[in-house]
Amino acid sequence: MNRSIFFILFVLLASLTGCASTETRPDDALISSNIMLTEAQTGKEILAQVGQQIDIRLPSNRSTGYQWTQTEPMRGALRDASPLYEPTNPEVLGSGGTDVFHFTAARPGKQALKFEYARTWVGSPPASQKVNYVIIVE
């Protein structure tokens, strides 16, 4: 009797141990997480996996006439979505916010992303700030 109880307990523990040891590959963890870039990463090469989301968040104050615009054409490694502006405090006139650019790594390749902070309605003004990144999609 003791022997059969021991055997049943052994089988139960072995099956539970097998369930707990499922591995998560590091590649899967990377793909499921978004990459968020700011001014701090300007000039850096960023590695991404196909399917991974890349968000670029740049401080902005559109009430001054300035906004971030993308200046480098897309080459296919990334797919972009419409940029958006998130005001910090929409209730306060003249408050700043964040220009947000969303991208998805579409296929292996290399894509330079360049942005300028300028008053686009003034013809060709010099940018007051510039940021750039190189995204390498594997």
Side-chain angles (χ1 to χ4, degrees):
M1 178 87 161
N2 285 341
R3 197 172 196 171
S4 61
I5 292 175
F6 178 76
F7 179 74
I8 292 171
L9 286 173
F10 175 77
V11 170
L12 284 173
L13 285 174
S15 64
L16 290 174
T17 304
C19 291
S21 68
T22 54
E23 292 183 31
T24 303
R25 292 183 7 215
D27 292 344
D28 294 339
L30 286 175
I31 292 172
S32 66
S33 65
N34 289 352
I35 295 173
M36 187 182 75
L37 303 175
T38 64
E39 290 175 297
Q41 290 84 24
T42 190
K44 305 257 182 189
E45 286 191 349
I46 309 298
L47 294 177
Q49 301 292 316
V50 171
Q52 196 166 19
Q53 296 273 326
I54 301 155
D55 293 339
I56 298 174
R57 302 180 62 82
L58 302 169
S60 180
N61 189 337
R62 291 204 176 170
S63 70
T64 63
Y66 283 86
Q67 70 179 36
W68 287 97
T69 56
Q70 185 177 351
T71 60
E72 185 76 19
M74 298 298 288
R75 304 236 188 280
L78 300 177
R79 186 174 58 245
D80 64 337
S82 299
L84 60 99
Y85 179 72
E86 295 176 349
T88 301
N89 190 348
E91 310 299 318
V92 178
L93 188 62
S95 69
T98 305
D99 280 315
V100 183
F101 299 85
H102 299 287
F103 300 92
T104 302
R107 65 178 176 85
K110 191 174 189 178
Q111 172 69 53
L113 295 174
K114 297 181 181 182
F115 301 88
E116 292 184 351
Y117 191 59
R119 290 180 169 151
T120 56
W121 49 269
V122 184
S124 298
S128 68
Q129 293 177 301
K130 296 180 181 184
V131 295
N132 63 302
Y133 314 92
V134 175
I135 310 297
I136 300 170
V137 180
E138 299 178 333

